[in-house]
Amino acid sequence: MPNLLTLGGIDYVIIFIYFLFVIGIGWALKRYMSSSKAFLEAGRSLPAWVTGLAFISANLGALEVIGMSASGAQYGMATTHFYWIGAIPAMIFLGLFMMPFYYGSKARSVPEYLKLRFDEKTRGLNAIAFAVMTILASGISMYALAALMEKLLHWPFDASVLVSAGIVLAYTLLGGLSSAIYNEVLQFFIIVIGLFPLVFLSLKDAGGWTGMTETLNQVSTSNGFQTGAWTTMWSHTGTAAANPMGVEWFGIFMGLGFVLGFGYWCTNFLVVQRAMAANSMTAARKTPLIGAVPKILLPFLVIVPGMAAMALASKGTLSLEMMPNGSPNYNSVITSMLGHYYPSGILGLGLCALLASFMSGMAGNVSAFNTVWTYDLYQSYIKPNQSDKHYLNVGRLATIVGIILSIGAAYLAKQFGNIMDFLQMIFAMVNAPLFAIMFLGMFWKRTTGHGAFWGLLLGISCALIHHGLTIPMGADPSEIIKGGWISVIHTYPSSMAQNFWGAIIGWTSGTVCTLIITYLTKQQKSNEDLKGLVYSLTPRIIEKDDKWYNRPIVLACFVAALTLVLSIIFW
């Protein structure tokens, strides 16, 4: 049975005040929304600390808060790979090497950069794929929120969908991208404040880190692993069978750390848009590096409570929701702990943290959708050469349409409960080959538009075929979504391993195809056309005015050193 939460009057007051704040931010910024640049690009006027926190908050959605806590319980400290190897190196690379091209080219979106660097057809392919994915992602955040509220509080599903959609629509329509970004900063602090007590209380009950480790060592041995499999990162990754995640070190390093990590953080317009809203080149470069600092520490906020919950559940101290087959429902970790630890008042704050995570995911996707639709699809293919006011109105209309489509996607998710897995699979398929062509395009001036377009198509196709020929252990091929819909020629120990290797295949095939087609076709752009878009043709940035400790390279070294130290400690 699900753990039903009971809210008191003070909890509803806290949630109501939170809703007033987020709408109030949009209302306060409304008077500045006089142009499409202000509405869709935040006027490129925001300071680095704001865009840096928004950069990480836009990613700190439902999947991260609920999903990573669940993974912490199911896989233990190995889940930290998604942060320290799957995000930090890519964020450093984005800040130091890729943002000068995105920001310096004056491109208004990632698809527009693809047009400047390659050609119109590559831009169009990416814009359409990205627009579809953002709507699905926004809808899934909406569905997850409504399903959670229905299960925990018996709130009507329809009402939860409409209220959450209405609030996101209100502050995004009023204040545009600026409102979304400032709300993401607020939501970041709400999430941290709302979830931090769980870390302290759960660890205290588990006997501190030492007591939790001892209990999880028993969990490891009872599941057929060596002691330490739940509390270390690298020491049990020699083979896939040696750790609960079912992935060996090469799959983690290459599949997650390079292909998926760089593919997501370096090419996904949802997060890159935050850096592009910064008020200077230096601020844009520092945006992902500032965001990397809390990203390094987030495992202690979302993964450690999941590990503690696993330890407490194994001792019978904490009751987790169970699946029909008798196994724990790991997705109930956070909500079970909220009900177990938080009294009335604090419970309202904890639920605000969950609401903030869902709403930041929705707003981030909608603000990215309206920009790509307005600039890369409507202005490029439907009605070019219109007035700025016309595109401002189109951007506002796209915000409304994006919310309506997200509501439809939420009901689609309700109808097909496994659409979350499908969405993650699509992200891996699209982002991996996209990073292949972006990397070649930025660092090899010979790369042609034909090579990029066909490399992207082939990379997606090969990743799709790999999915159709493989399946994770225990899955049924008739489900289709899990793979094996062509034939089963290989079985992976987990769906995570399947996605990692699918991404590797998508990136490799995209890279090889781009290289071959590039050598067979002629470069249509001159060196002058590519200036500011390719590394070898772009003047190096010399930051003379900033003090040494304010420079991106110094911040990058600090982030890398902190990540390395933590990785060694939890090796």
Side-chain angles (χ1 to χ4, degrees):
M1 290 292 292
N3 297 288
L4 186 64
L5 303 182
T6 303
L7 297 184
I10 185 65
D11 299 310
Y12 283 106
V13 169
I14 291 172
I15 293 173
F16 180 72
I17 291 173
Y18 167 69
F19 286 160
L20 284 182
F21 258 93
V22 297
I23 295 176
I25 289 174
W27 183 263
L29 293 169
K30 180 178 181 292
R31 61 194 178 98
Y32 299 106
M33 300 300 111
S34 57
S35 68
S36 63
K37 184 178 179 68
F39 185 79
L40 298 171
E41 303 176 67
R44 290 200 168 191
S45 61
L46 303 181
W49 74 269
V50 171
T51 55
L53 289 179
F55 183 92
I56 205 63
S57 182
N59 175 252
L60 191 59
L63 182 63
E64 179 139 2
V65 173
I66 300 293
M68 289 303 174
S69 296
S71 295
Q74 188 172 5
Y75 304 124
M77 202 65 188
T79 309
T80 309
H81 288 303
F82 282 92
Y83 295 82
W84 297 344
I85 189 69
I88 301 302
M91 293 168 77
I92 292 173
F93 187 81
L94 173 64
L96 293 183
F97 298 105
M98 295 185 75
M99 279 315 303
F101 302 126
Y102 285 139
Y103 196 88
S105 68
K106 305 298 182 184
R108 298 168 296 181
S109 66
V110 170
E112 186 165 89
Y113 172 83
L114 292 175
K115 175 199 172 181
L116 297 173
R117 174 58 186 90
F118 296 118
D119 54 26
E120 191 63 59
K121 65 179 180 294
T122 308
R123 172 207 209 169
L125 175 62
N126 179 246
I128 292 170
F130 180 79
V132 172
M133 288 191 298
T134 52
I135 290 300
L136 287 174
S138 176
I140 287 191
S141 289
M142 197 179 293
Y143 160 74
L145 170 62
L148 192 68
M149 295 300 103
E150 181 182 44
K151 183 172 68 174
L152 296 179
L153 302 172
H154 284 177
W155 289 1
F157 182 89
D158 296 341
S160 295
V161 166
L162 294 176
V163 168
S164 61
I167 291 171
V168 172
L169 174 62
Y171 74 73
T172 307
L173 190 61
L174 285 169
L177 178 60
S178 296
S179 179
I181 287 176
Y182 278 111
N183 266 300
E184 284 160 1
V185 174
L186 170 65
Q187 288 156 351
F188 172 81
F189 288 111
I190 292 289
I191 291 168
V192 172
I193 295 169
L195 296 183
F196 180 75
L198 286 183
V199 182
F200 175 78
L201 295 171
S202 60
L203 273 179
K204 182 172 179 278
D205 270 5
W209 187 268
T210 302
M212 183 183 72
T213 300
E214 291 174 356
T215 305
L216 290 178
N217 283 340
Q218 296 173 12
V219 173
S220 296
T221 54
S222 67
N223 282 276
F225 302 107
Q226 295 181 358
T227 58
W230 247 267
T231 53
T232 59
M233 293 178 57
W234 292 102
S235 56
H236 293 82
T237 57
T239 63
N243 62 84
M245 191 176 283
V247 185
E248 78 290 346
W249 68 270
F250 181 79
I252 294 171
F253 184 80
M254 185 68 181
L256 175 62
F258 182 63
V259 177
L260 285 176
F262 279 70
Y264 179 84
W265 293 101
C266 296
T267 67
N268 191 334
F269 183 53
L270 168 64
V271 291
V272 173
Q273 185 182 33
R274 274 69 196 146
M276 294 172 75
N279 57 17
S280 68
M281 173 67 80
T282 299
R285 297 180 71 204
K286 288 167 65 176
T287 292
L289 301 173
I290 291 171
V293 176
K295 187 70 174 178
I296 294 172
L297 302 176
L298 279 176
F300 300 104
L301 185 71
V302 295
I303 294 175
V304 169
M307 296 170 62
M310 187 66 172
L312 294 170
S314 69
K315 294 196 302 184
T317 308
L318 179 70
S319 174
L320 293 180
E321 180 184 338
M322 304 303 290
M323 301 288 282
N325 62 6
S327 63
N329 179 5
Y330 296 108
N331 288 324
S332 71
V333 164
I334 285 290
T335 53
S336 295
M337 296 180 80
L338 287 177
H340 183 77
Y341 286 113
Y342 281 11
S344 182
I346 303 298
L347 181 58
L349 187 61
L351 283 177
C352 274
L354 291 182
L355 290 170
S357 72
F358 291 116
M359 291 171 65
S360 67
M362 281 188 278
N365 280 290
V366 169
S367 61
F369 168 80
N370 63 21
T371 302
V372 168
W373 167 259
T374 302
Y375 288 148
D376 296 297
L377 295 173
Y378 183 85
Q379 186 180 39
S380 297
Y381 302 112
I382 300 175
K383 276 201 172 182
N385 305 318
Q386 301 296 307
S387 67
D388 182 74
K389 184 177 180 181
H390 178 83
Y391 293 123
L392 172 61
N393 291 332
V394 169
R396 286 174 169 155
L397 181 61
T399 304
I400 298 172
V401 173
I403 290 290
I404 293 172
L405 292 176
S406 297
I407 293 173
Y411 282 95
L412 182 66
K414 184 180 182 181
Q415 200 168 8
F416 301 100
N418 55 10
I419 197 171
M420 181 75 80
D421 293 334
F422 178 71
L423 185 61
Q424 294 310 307
M425 178 193 70
I426 293 297
F427 282 163
M429 287 180 182
V430 174
N431 285 339
L434 177 60
F435 175 65
I437 68 167
M438 292 286 280
F439 185 81
L440 288 173
M442 284 184 172
F443 297 97
W444 186 38
K445 67 178 183 179
R446 176 71 176 82
T447 312
T448 66
H450 294 308
F453 177 80
W454 291 108
L456 184 59
L457 268 184
L458 184 68
I460 294 172
S461 300
C462 287
L464 184 63
I465 292 170
H466 165 267
H467 182 264
L469 293 174
T470 62
I471 200 168
M473 188 178 295
D476 184 353
S478 65
E479 293 182 52
I480 297 179
I481 192 68
K482 298 292 185 180
W485 42 273
I486 299 175
S487 178
V488 180
I489 64 173
H490 182 71
T491 300
Y492 286 100
S494 68
S495 58
M496 206 167 293
Q498 182 189 33
N499 283 336
F500 287 178
W501 281 101
I504 292 172
I505 288 171
W507 177 83
T508 303
S509 56
T511 299
V512 172
C513 178
T514 303
L515 289 171
I516 292 173
I517 301 291
T518 289
Y519 278 117
L520 295 177
T521 55
K522 184 180 179 181
Q523 176 61 271
Q524 301 296 317
K525 293 183 178 288
S526 67
N527 286 351
E528 187 63 29
D529 294 331
L530 297 176
K531 189 175 292 185
L533 303 172
V534 178
Y535 187 79
S536 62
L537 299 175
T538 302
R540 302 296 171 263
I541 297 174
I542 302 174
E543 291 157 323
K544 295 180 179 179
D545 297 332
D546 271 344
K547 295 182 174 63
W548 67 270
Y549 51 81
N550 281 330
R551 294 175 184 171
I553 186 64
V554 175
L555 183 55
C557 290
F558 169 76
V559 168
L562 180 58
T563 305
L564 181 61
V565 168
L566 288 172
S567 297
I568 292 172
I569 291 173
F570 294 100
W571 185 269

